Each structure stands twice: as C-alpha cells, then as structure tokens.
Amino acid sequence: MTKDAITRHSPSTGAGSPDVWGIYEPDTGSIQYICACPTTKKAALIDVVWNFDPKSFATDTRSMDQVVALAKENGLEITLILDTHPHADHVMASAQLKQQLGVPNAIGAKVREIAELWRDLYNTPTAFDPERDFDHLFEDGDSFAIGDLEVRVMLSPGHTLGSITYVCGDAAFVHDTLMMPDAGTSRADFPGGSADELWQSIQAILSLPDETRLYIGHDYGTDDRDAPMWEATVAEHKAKNKHVKSGTDKADYIKTRQDRDATLALPDRMLAALQINLRGGRLPEAEGDGHSYLKMPVNKF
Ligand SMILES: [Fe+2]
C-alpha cells in the first residue's frame, strides 16, 4: 500500500459541474475533497483530516495544510467547511479550518442524535453541543450554493444514523456508503449503524444519473490493487460493485455486510476521534495545566 499523500484533479465536465480535487490521507486511508465552482472559483472543503497519532495522542495539521495550500495554488476561495458525518477513524479538521479561514462549517442535522448516543456511551451527559460547534446542520433535501453551483443534501444513513451525501451537479460526495467497486461498501456496525439502512441509502445514490461521479470516503487498496482510488460513476458501481451491483438481492447484501463487519476491529482512533468530532473537531476545554484530556470507556466495546 502506498503511503503517499496523493492528489488528483477531476475537472468540471461543463455547466453546473464542479472541479473536484481528491487528496488522499495515507495514515487513515481517508480521501479529503475540494469541490469548486469553475466560474467563481469559490470552493468547499469536504471531510478534511486533522492528523492524530493514536499512540501519542499528538495532533498535527499537515493534512489540512496540504488541502488549503492546494486550494490556494488553484486560485480558489474557500467558503465552506463540510463534513458528511462524525468520523470514527479520523479526527475532523472542521473547527481548526473554521477558525483559520473564518468561514462557516456544517454537517447533517442528525448529528444531534449521534451526539445523544455517544453522550450515553461516554457517560458524559452534558458533552457535545452541535448547535454551538456547527454553523449549519443540514436536513434531508436542503440545498445551498458553492459560487454558482447548487448542492443538494441527501440523508444517507447506515454507516452512521446521520450521514449525508452532498450532490453537486454531476458529482456526489458519498463518504462511507460505497467503497470502490472492487472493495464494495462501507461498514455498518458502529453504534447507530444499520446494514439495512445502508442498503436503502446506496440504492438512492445509485438512482442518480449513470454518469454521476461518486467520490468515496475511504480506500485501503485491495489484494489486487495498491494505489488508492476514490472516483467511479454510478454506471460503474451498478456494473461492478462487488457488494451492490445491479441484480444483487438485498438479503444477500445484508448477510455479506454483516459477515464482513463481524471480522473488523474497531478503528484505532475511534474512541478518541468521536469525542473530538462531536465537538466539531474541538478538543475538550483545557484543564488547569493547559492540556485537554479525553475520556475512555473501559470494557464497553
Ligand atoms: Fe466514517
């Protein structure tokens, strides 16, 4: 598996279609995106990573710095910081970017319910206030603009109960629903996840026009492929996706998904990441010694 922070540009295909850059974050196999309006040069950042070492609990900003530098090199003005869901495998850069760039951040409105779930799991009844930490909480069907482009929000639960997809012209940022066609789909076994709901969400995504470019949230390569990939069209997924290609029976998919999930370990950053991500990417308030501390449940997972 290559460990390079690879970047690829997928150009606008015409009116209403965004310029997309994908920036691969090799430590977590995450793909971060820039979605830009080719005429106004305004851009949104999607699912950007704040690097977090799971052994030392030390953070650094090299990945978000790379994304911001790439936007600047291309003459873009960043106007929005978007996330598709509170990630379990990486810490989100949202709060840092919001402060650094002075632009609003956003996520799906069901983050309120995800916060409720994790308040119980961490036994922190007053932690997490999405209204405070996000400027916009998008509902299913909401729309907003990036320059002259319109973005539509689709609720896509399954991986989490409140994941959303951003559909912008012929591009859709589908995060942890689909993986590449040769890898299948994303896991659905985290608290609030559901293979049944993920199936429904994937069917809605695969109902977009065949030429829609789908941008996924993670790629770890496969036994036959080292280089990370993150873009495939609806038509390619319908023809080849190993879990959900056309003709797949829903019950067979759910069995495949659940059997696979039963073999997967928890992401090594999960219990740290969620309590930061449910604060929009902020650490808990610093204590008297100037440091922030995280809280870890023992024997709960
Ligand atoms: Fe995720």
Side-chain angles (χ1 to χ4, degrees):
M1 184 73 184
T2 179
K3 283 287 177 190
D4 295 335
I6 297 169
T7 292
R8 291 191 199 115
H9 177 211
S10 177
S12 164
T13 60
S17 163
D19 263 315
V20 177
W21 284 263
I23 304 98
Y24 184 71
E25 196 290 296
D27 290 348
T28 60
S30 302
I31 301 98
Q32 316 158 96
Y33 293 102
I34 301 172
C35 175
C37 169
T39 51
T40 65
K41 302 289 181 189
K42 292 191 188 304
L45 306 184
I46 304 175
D47 287 343
V48 179
V49 173
W50 183 15
N51 301 94
F52 182 95
D53 179 342
K55 295 197 176 72
S56 63
F57 279 31
T59 64
D60 79 80
T61 61
R62 65 183 186 277
S63 200
M64 68 176 92
D65 293 346
Q66 184 195 4
V67 175
V68 170
L70 183 67
K72 290 209 173 117
E73 277 163 31
N74 285 280
L76 303 174
E77 178 197 350
I78 298 163
T79 58
L80 266 176
I81 310 298
L82 305 176
D83 277 273
T84 52
H85 64 292
H87 311 277
D89 69 295
H90 70 261
V91 175
M92 60 169 74
S94 185
Q96 307 264 332
L97 289 171
K98 172 178 158 157
Q99 189 178 18
Q100 179 190 332
L101 303 170
V103 300
N105 66 346
I107 198 166
K110 278 180 179 276
V111 71
R112 296 185 188 102
E113 290 167 50
I114 300 171
E116 194 65 50
L117 190 69
W118 284 93
R119 270 182 213 116
D120 285 345
L121 290 165
Y122 289 118
N123 193 29
T124 50
T126 60
F128 314 139
D129 182 356
E131 314 283 349
R132 175 193 60 197
D133 286 322
F134 294 97
D135 298 301
H136 303 291
L137 294 175
F138 293 127
E139 304 279 356
D140 189 26
D142 278 356
S143 60
F144 61 92
I146 302 171
D148 292 341
L149 301 174
E150 190 188 14
V151 183
R152 184 166 57 87
V153 175
M154 277 172 77
L155 181 64
S156 302
H159 173 68
T160 72
L161 64 84
S163 301
I164 55 175
T165 293
Y166 296 106
V167 183
C168 180
D170 69 342
F173 299 89
V174 304
H175 59 93
D176 302 346
T177 51
L178 295 158
M179 306 232 351
M180 284 307 285
D182 59 359
T185 60
S186 296
R187 64 193 297 180
D189 61 328
F190 296 149
S194 159
D196 194 309
E197 287 190 329
L198 187 55
W199 169 265
Q200 308 291 351
S201 295
I202 289 170
Q203 297 312 307
I205 290 165
L206 296 181
S207 308
L208 293 168
D210 271 354
E211 64 277 14
T212 309
R213 300 175 284 166
L214 303 183
Y215 295 97
I216 60 169
H218 290 289
D219 187 63
Y220 313 108
T222 66
D223 290 345
D224 304 320
R225 169 172 69 74
D226 278 344
M229 308 274 285
W230 50 77
E231 174 182 343
T233 62
V234 164
E236 288 168 320
H237 279 281
K238 289 201 295 200
K240 293 188 288 200
N241 185 290
K242 68 185 264 194
H243 290 170
V244 292
K245 65 175 177 266
S246 296
T248 304
D249 181 65
K250 176 181 175 183
D252 290 342
Y253 158 76
I254 290 175
K255 178 160 183 359
T256 302
R257 186 66 267 159
Q258 290 175 338
D259 288 352
R260 169 93 178 121
D261 287 349
T263 71
L264 299 174
L266 290 182
D268 52 8
R269 293 167 179 79
M270 181 175 97
L271 293 172
L274 275 161
Q275 60 192 293
I276 303 172
N277 292 341
L278 288 168
R279 292 178 170 93
R282 278 189 316 110
L283 297 175
E285 292 302 326
E287 298 190 4
D289 65 350
H291 289 277
S292 291
Y293 291 82
L294 300 173
K295 184 177 181 188
M296 295 296 167
V298 177
N299 290 334
K300 208 156 185 172
F301 288 91

